[in-house]
Amino acid sequence: MSALDFYVHVAVCGEVLGVGLGAGPDAWEAALGATCLDVPGGGLLRRDYGLVEINFSPDRPGRQGRMSCFGFGVKIQRLLYDRSPSTVPSPLSREYGEFAPRAPFEELRTAILALGHTVELDKHNTSSDMDCYRVSASAARIHVVADPDPYGAGDPDPDGHQGGDVWSLDVW
């Protein structure tokens, strides 16, 4: 398996190592490990594993103290500048191998299409510097760098993000 296989699975199935929307912090910890940064605030919890970031909110009334995932993201953009081993949780490295600092959108789109899904431009969530794509029958959105020099500085970082790089996969 490869990092591309991981990205395709997230985009099509909306899960990471068997956990996804609705799962509690304990389920995510069982899948990705205990090495993370918890950021509570406003009654919510953001759990940051580097490559994967999960958002939790309190469950319905009557389930005191329980939280569940209402959204998560695979933050591929972090791999370009943070190459420390802890950026990719070790369970993901064991399952999928090495994660390259870039993920070309065309490769991801081709793999998703091969599984019979469609990938459509989400015009409502696209901006001048970032395109957003929706995967059919999935809650996933793929954010792709459209303009690596959005502020017109005229000198985009040649080692930085390039047009066509996947920025993130988000499931909400």
Side-chain angles (χ1 to χ4, degrees):
M1 299 246 253
S2 68
L4 179 61
D5 294 323
F6 171 65
Y7 301 143
V8 169
H9 184 79
V10 170
V12 170
C13 299
E15 64 179 33
V16 173
L17 299 175
V19 291
L21 298 176
D26 291 345
W28 281 93
E29 185 174 320
L32 294 176
T35 305
C36 62
L37 174 66
D38 281 346
V39 182
L44 305 176
L45 172 65
R46 181 174 56 87
R47 178 165 283 179
D48 190 341
Y49 282 95
L51 178 62
V52 180
E53 187 174 286
I54 306 118
N55 296 286
F56 300 96
S57 65
D59 278 346
R60 336 177 263 281
R63 294 185 64 183
Q64 283 303 84
R66 301 199 109 176
M67 299 188 94
S68 60
C69 170
F70 68 87
F72 69 91
V74 177
K75 308 301 184 181
I76 301 167
Q77 81 275 11
R78 293 178 177 175
L79 297 174
L80 192 59
Y81 298 108
D82 185 354
R83 302 199 187 197
S84 63
S86 63
T87 303
V88 176
S90 55
L92 288 178
S93 294
R94 282 192 300 274
E95 182 75 19
Y96 294 98
E98 187 176 333
F99 282 71
R102 282 197 169 79
F105 174 62
E106 285 309 317
E107 289 179 19
L108 179 59
R109 180 193 340 228
T110 299
I112 292 169
L113 293 173
L115 293 175
H117 291 266
T118 61
V119 179
E120 300 170 10
L121 184 65
D122 181 351
K123 294 177 185 173
H124 298 291
N125 291 306
T126 290
S127 64
S128 62
D129 62 332
M130 196 73 61
D131 290 332
C132 179
Y133 293 88
R134 188 180 67 74
V135 178
S136 64
S138 169
R141 298 290 187 270
I142 304 168
H143 299 275
V144 180
V145 175
D147 182 357
D149 185 21
Y151 303 109
D155 189 23
D157 179 357
D159 298 320
H161 294 286
Q162 299 172 2
D165 283 351
V166 176
W167 181 264
S168 67
L169 291 160
D170 296 299
V171 179
W172 297 94

